[in-house]
Amino acid sequence: MFKNYIKIAFRNLLKNKSQTVINVGGLTLGIICAIVIFLIIQFDLSFDKWHEDPDRIYRVVRHETEFGKSVYYRGGPYPLAEAVRNDVTGIEYSTLVFNNLANEPIISYYDNGNLVKKLKESDFAFVDPDYFNILTYTWLSGNPETAIKNPNTAVVTQSFALKLFGTTDVLGKSVVFNGGTAADIEITGVVKDMPENSDFPFTFIGANSTMDRNGETAENPSWGSNSSSMQTYVKLEPGFSEEQINEQLEALIVKYRNEEVAAELDLFLQPLSEIHFDSRFSNYNGRVIEKSMLLALGIIGLFLLIAACINFINLNTAIAVSRSKEVGLRKTLGGTKSQLMLHFFGETAFITLIALVLGVGLSEIVLQNISPVLGFSPEMNLLSNVELQLFIVSIFLLVTLLAGWYPAQYLSNFNPIEAIRNKIQSNYGRGLTLRRGLIVVQFTITQVLIICTLIMASQIRYFQNQDLGFEKEAVVQVPIQNENMPILNVFKSSLLNKTTIQNVSFSNTGTTNNSVWGGNYIMIEDSIRHENSGQVKFIDENFIDTYGLTLLAGTNIQPSDTVNAYIVNQSFAKEVGYGDNLSGLIGKTTSMWGTEAPIVGVVKDFNTQSLHEGLAPVLLAPRKSFFLSAVKINTARTKEALGDIERAFNTAFPDLVFEYSFLDESIESMYEDEQRTAKIMNAFTLIAIIIGSLGLFGLVSYMSTTRTKEIGVRKVLGANLLDILKLFGTELALLTGISFVIAAPISWYLMRNWLEEFAYKIELGIGIFLLALSGILLISVLTIGYKSLRAALSNPIESLKSE
Amino acid sequence: MIKLRNIDRYIDKRLQRNFILKGIDLDIEEGDFVSIMGPSGAGKSTLLNIIGFLDDANEGEYYFLDEPVHSLNERQKSEYHRSYIGFVFQAYHLIDELTVYENIEMPLLYRKVKGSQRKSMVADMLDRFNIVAKKDLFPNQLSGGQQQLVGVARALIGSPKLILADEPTGNLHSDQSKEIMETFKKLNKEDGVTIIQVTHSDEMASYGDRVINLQDGAVTENNPYEEE
Ligand SMILES: Nc1ncnc2c1ncn2[C@@H]1O[C@H](COP(=O)(O)OP(=O)(O)O)[C@@H](O)[C@H]1O
Ligand SMILES: [Mg+2]
């Protein structure tokens, strides 16, 4: 019996090719989306779940109240890890994880006594021996218990060993951290690389005691200074609760600092399972995704699947008419209603199965190419991924039920005589209403996606066109780490000799960076004390020209080894009451980090961070604390200029590794998240449009074949082309209108929330909504246009002859 | 076998009740070969449909094998369709997506006949109607007469006790019609199959033993041949 069903299903598929393509194609698209989204969600949810006792592992994070504002930090004071280990009961292990990202270290190794193979490595950490008792590593060689007990030891990952030495047999070899300025570090262990679903992607894990000895943490040894490059991770003893530990952490602040500080500062535990999802704190992987985003993604996937099922339902109930004879006959031959239901379910299941097989295969291809968009690449592992298998089975059941139930119910309920006589009309009451309802659902989904995508695109365009207060073009930034002025000057003058180079500037950070140097500025005038948080940049006299900042009042700074003057920005002027009198500010003194100096100039506001953040008061001051050089090049000769810079760099800094980035590209990359989201949304919107168009096309081509006779009669009776086109168009326009009315407020609400995150954002005007509406109307017209035009233009005699 | 008492079948249209069948009393015994005749629109098909459980009467009583039909549920009716009643239609009504072989085989699938047995039964049928060579063709590749032969073969494969044929020869040439009628007659005489057919042709009616004349939904003339 079942074979018979399949046979009929198969022949029907071949007979109605366009309908098959629509059913199978649309469903396949929906299934690809569902599977890919499932794997993304599964991937994100799997982060660091696989450590031993993951529910006993925590990070100690910090909450502070600054100028009345709640701020969360992932780092703490340097001595915290040890204090937690010694003073808090219920802690089994505790470790500091130190990774100073401002200084990207260079690692080299000895070959016959010569230092070779410089390697920039940002994925490094210096930790306490407990680290390896908290996070789970697979050891290839070395002893986990003793590996980093002694100073100047480190454990490296397989890939690091291979990259540096070409072998994993590296126990006992030595490397030099930071271009020979630090002591030799012995490799005492090799571990497997962390899987991709970990927020701890370190490849070089050194003994924290090393840093003590080298004095690298001497700058921050106190309880008073916190840094996000000093994080504390703990593993609780079984049976202890988060609250029990949090109370003791509070007591630590009182003990090592005072009651006053404790009032404004909380230390508390963040579970390991939250590190990937809590956007208040960053992680070492750099990607935090809120669970609500995952939920949204899941909903989109579900909706796309539903949209695909809707095609299926609509098309199958529409063509049910042409199958009514078969249904009637089967009943007269003794087919019961349940058998017929089963039959049609069988057909649906069969089509679903084809779509699933195609969908799984194509998902694999999508996954292999998705990493440029996502920034990571979830894997399918169909054979071992039980959750995926269950998911696929559920898709199968869900789609078969969703898409099969109604057509099966509808078809099998046909009265046999009426069915045999082909009396069942295509616009058979209930079927039509349902079909319209489903089209509205589908159009609504598509329109919400279109509107959201358009809004995202215009927000991103807005970012790109926003005046940042400086010239981001033609600036190449090259990290340097050298405070030796003679060498820096040689580098600078050798560059300025080149015709490809227009200007060179040294500073601690560039104009715009995700991490800013900041503190509180104080300005006292007429015994009124202005104190607020501000940002500081240490610059040289070429900074303003190189970055194209606009000096609105006063003069540039003079070269100096210490802070002897400040240039401030408009926001600063506004905050201290000189918003309208910039030149009045010249000569006034202010202080930052305890250094008092006169204000010599005021520059136009410029964005020091991504446009998620607003403007802030900024102080620019001369001081030789340079980590970055900015080179303004002649863009007509970019390639040549880069060559010149690299040569000058290698001559001046033989120990450093040359790296560069274009300022405009680095700024662009601050919106990677938004661009990634936009790209994903684009893809989903496109798919939703394709699914919707497929469905419409199927319905209209079906309508045009079933209604050719009606059209013929109407034409004979004098209807013109427009009348006939109206027949197809009016209903569609109406359905589009209804779904727009539903979609517009939903997308408005969603996008308003999304835009909340940006300090600089577009207005949600009516224009963008109307654009979306006309877009979907255009798509619908294009989709149905051809078929309905052909039907309208057909010769009435031809269509009437067939009766 | 079939006992109809005072059967009404009507359609309510606004305030008006249109009777398709009115006050039908009819007895058909096992082994009868009955022809229903009458003008177009007289209600012949409706009557046949009611007899075959494809339609329900609005009023009156219908006993099939002494069982009241109104008390049969869907499942029981399907059961009768599978194993007791065979239909032959004027428009053949073969399933276009199935081959000749598969069309004939279909009732056996609903009866859950085993594969090997099914094969030999279908082969017998193909043989009997001389259409072995056509078994892999689809209905639209056959002539009308050939399609109707397949239709009859399909009706017969379940060895029904009752065949209901609504103008089975309506679309056929006289040669083809005779062939079908001979088949019916043989079935009736040799296998004792009860046959009820609707026909417009006296010649076709003469193959049977009894004619029921239907006019405006009522039986006007019953059993004219019996009186001869
Ligand atoms: N479902 C129905 N709705 C309305 N009228 C019907 C229906 N079925 C049959 N009729 C009417 O009942 C009458 C008898 O139909 P039918 O039994 O097909 O006649 P015959 O087979 O004798 O030509 C016809 O006038 C037909 O129009
Ligand atoms: Mg009739």
Side-chain angles (χ1 to χ4, degrees), chain A residues 1 3-5 7-8 11-12 15 325-326 328-340 343 415-417 420-421, chain B residues 45-46 49 54-55 74-75 78 81-82 85 87 89 93-99 102 105-107 109-110 112 118 138 154:
Chain A
M1 190 85 236
K3 218 172 90 194
N4 184 267
Y5 294 165
K7 208 153 52 189
I8 290 217
R11 286 186 193 147
N12 263 323
K15 197 172 108 184
K325 192 179 107 181
E326 182 192 336
L329 261 169
R330 286 182 180 276
K331 283 199 172 173
T332 67
L333 293 174
T336 58
K337 199 184 143 189
S338 48
Q339 272 175 323
L340 284 166
H343 174 173
N415 173 309
I417 336 162
I420 290 175
R421 281 190 190 148
Chain B
S45 298
T46 307
N49 289 336
L54 297 181
D55 198 358
E74 281 292 320
R75 184 158 291 281
S78 291
H81 286 153
R82 278 179 208 174
I85 307 176
F87 289 93
F89 304 93
H93 291 325
L94 304 178
I95 292 182
D96 298 332
E97 286 78 25
L98 295 182
T99 62
E102 290 158 355
E105 183 190 32
M106 197 165 58
L109 296 174
Y110 282 119
K112 302 202 167 67
R118 228 160 50 210
F138 286 93
R154 184 180 61 186

Side-chain angles (χ1 to χ4, degrees), chain B:
Chain B
M1 179 188 220
I2 290 166
K3 193 156 86 178
L4 299 175
R5 286 295 172 268
N6 210 15
I7 291 287
D8 286 351
R9 178 77 178 88
Y10 51 75
I11 304 284
D12 283 329
K13 253 187 202 159
R14 284 193 212 112
L15 300 174
Q16 203 181 347
R17 177 162 286 185
N18 290 338
F19 281 92
I20 302 173
L21 296 173
K22 185 154 178 56
I24 303 278
D25 290 319
L26 189 62
D27 290 279
I28 292 171
E29 300 304 324
E30 207 148 356
D32 279 359
F33 187 162
V34 180
S35 304
I36 302 177
M37 298 188 76
S40 216
K44 305 181 295 292
S45 298
T46 307
L47 179 59
L48 208 64
N49 289 336
I50 289 176
I51 292 173
F53 312 148
L54 297 181
D55 198 358
D56 294 314
N58 299 93
E59 304 284 342
E61 288 155 37
Y62 173 17
Y63 298 93
F64 187 80
L65 296 172
D66 294 327
E67 231 182 307
V69 170
H70 58 83
S71 69
L72 295 178
N73 61 25
E74 281 292 320
R75 184 158 291 281
Q76 288 167 311
K77 285 179 183 174
S78 291
E79 202 46 55
Y80 277 124
H81 286 153
R82 278 179 208 174
S83 49
Y84 215 97
I85 307 176
F87 289 93
V88 180
F89 304 93
Q90 175 176 6
Y92 330 130
H93 291 325
L94 304 178
I95 292 182
D96 298 332
E97 286 78 25
L98 295 182
T99 62
V100 165
Y101 183 98
E102 290 158 355
N103 262 291
I104 297 176
E105 183 190 32
M106 197 165 58
L108 301 181
L109 296 174
Y110 282 119
R111 290 175 60 185
K112 302 202 167 67
V113 177
K114 286 236 160 45
S116 56
Q117 200 189 342
R118 228 160 50 210
K119 228 178 223 164
S120 72
M121 286 170 81
V122 177
D124 273 358
M125 258 321 143
L126 290 167
D127 228 15
R128 187 158 153 195
F129 288 95
N130 258 322
I131 43 177
V132 181
K134 309 257 181 311
K135 74 180 171 58
D136 291 324
L137 298 182
F138 286 93
N140 56 15
Q141 297 168 303
L142 300 177
S143 75
Q146 289 165 336
Q147 288 190 46
Q148 192 58 299
L149 281 179
V150 177
V152 173
R154 184 180 61 186
L156 295 186
I157 193 146
S159 332
K161 299 285 189 309
L162 171 64
I163 286 182
L164 299 174
D166 195 349
E167 302 190 41
T169 60
N171 288 348
L172 302 184
H173 305 304
S174 57
D175 285 358
Q176 297 169 326
S177 305
K178 276 179 194 153
E179 194 180 348
I180 302 282
M181 281 304 126
E182 288 298 341
T183 312
F184 279 179
K185 183 153 189 158
K186 202 163 139 225
L187 276 172
N188 179 248
K189 291 283 165 296
E190 293 175 9
D191 304 327
V193 174
T194 311
I195 294 175
I196 305 176
Q197 67 163 342
V198 170
T199 180
H200 285 293
S201 147
D202 288 331
E203 189 192 349
M204 298 307 140
S206 69
Y207 282 88
D209 346 285
R210 177 179 161 196
V211 170
I212 294 162
N213 249 313
L214 212 56
Q215 202 102 44
D216 287 336
V219 178
T220 54
E221 211 179 336
N222 206 344
N223 306 345
Y225 290 95
E226 247 173 32
E227 287 161 19
E228 279 175 16

Side-chain angles (χ1 to χ4, degrees), chain A residues 551-771:
Chain A
L551 200 56
L552 297 176
T555 57
N556 197 358
I557 50 147
Q558 297 301 315
S560 160
D561 286 346
T562 51
V563 177
N564 62 1
Y566 287 112
I567 294 176
V568 297
N569 69 349
Q570 279 171 291
S571 297
F572 179 96
K574 227 172 276 166
E575 284 202 8
V576 296
Y578 280 86
D580 303 321
N581 177 19
L582 299 181
S583 45
L585 199 54
I586 308 298
K588 301 270 167 358
T589 54
T590 182
S591 71
M592 170 70 114
W593 290 4
T595 312
E596 196 167 294
I599 294 171
V600 296
V602 181
V603 288
K604 200 177 117 184
D605 272 336
F606 60 99
N607 289 93
T608 55
Q609 282 174 285
S610 77
L611 295 171
H612 297 89
E613 314 294 337
L615 294 167
V618 179
L619 292 85
L620 304 171
R623 194 186 100 184
K624 306 242 159 359
S625 176
F626 299 147
F627 297 97
L628 188 73
S629 63
V631 184
K632 179 88 174 178
I633 60 164
N634 181 342
T635 36
R637 295 160 67 189
T638 303
K639 227 177 160 171
E640 225 180 304
L642 287 175
D644 288 341
I645 300 171
E646 178 162 13
R647 271 188 300 278
F649 183 93
N650 285 337
T651 315
F653 315 108
D655 294 334
L656 301 187
V657 177
F658 177 69
E659 265 182 4
Y660 72 93
S661 56
F662 289 98
L663 178 59
D664 49 0
E665 284 172 10
S666 329
I667 289 175
E668 188 87 338
S669 73
M670 294 178 159
Y671 309 114
E672 246 170 17
D673 262 0
E674 284 74 30
Q675 276 169 344
R676 187 183 299 150
T677 313
K679 270 188 208 160
I680 296 172
M681 283 294 287
N682 282 347
F684 288 146
T685 306
L686 187 69
I687 289 170
I689 290 175
I690 293 176
I691 291 175
S693 302
L694 278 176
L696 263 190
F697 185 80
L699 272 183
V700 168
S701 44
Y702 182 74
M703 252 162 72
S704 66
T705 46
T706 48
R707 290 176 83 171
T708 31
K709 193 181 160 202
E710 177 192 339
I711 291 167
V713 173
R714 282 175 187 267
K715 283 179 85 168
V716 169
L717 294 176
N720 62 21
L721 182 67
L722 202 64
D723 295 324
I724 303 295
L725 287 180
K726 267 193 212 151
L727 214 63
F728 290 96
T730 356
E731 174 166 342
L732 189 72
L734 194 72
L735 296 180
T736 311
I738 296 174
S739 38
F740 177 75
V741 169
I742 305 172
I746 295 177
S747 7
W748 182 80
Y749 174 78
L750 291 174
M751 282 296 102
R752 203 192 44 168
N753 282 354
W754 185 73
L755 287 172
E756 294 269 275
E757 288 188 20
F758 310 111
Y760 294 81
K761 54 185 167 243
I762 52 166
E763 285 296 316
L764 278 185
I766 188 120
I768 220 156
F769 290 92
L770 291 183
L771 186 66

Side-chain angles (χ1 to χ4, degrees), chain A residues 466-473 475 477 510-513 537 543-550 604-609 611 615 632 663-664 667 670-671:
Chain A
Q466 180 74 16
D467 177 16
L468 299 175
F470 60 91
E471 288 158 21
K472 60 182 176 183
E473 285 77 26
V475 176
Q477 292 185 320
T511 45
T512 310
N513 202 301
K537 289 184 188 299
F543 188 86
I544 290 183
D545 282 346
T546 306
Y547 284 102
L549 296 179
T550 315
K604 200 177 117 184
D605 272 336
F606 60 99
N607 289 93
T608 55
Q609 282 174 285
L611 295 171
L615 294 167
K632 179 88 174 178
L663 178 59
D664 49 0
I667 289 175
M670 294 178 159
Y671 309 114

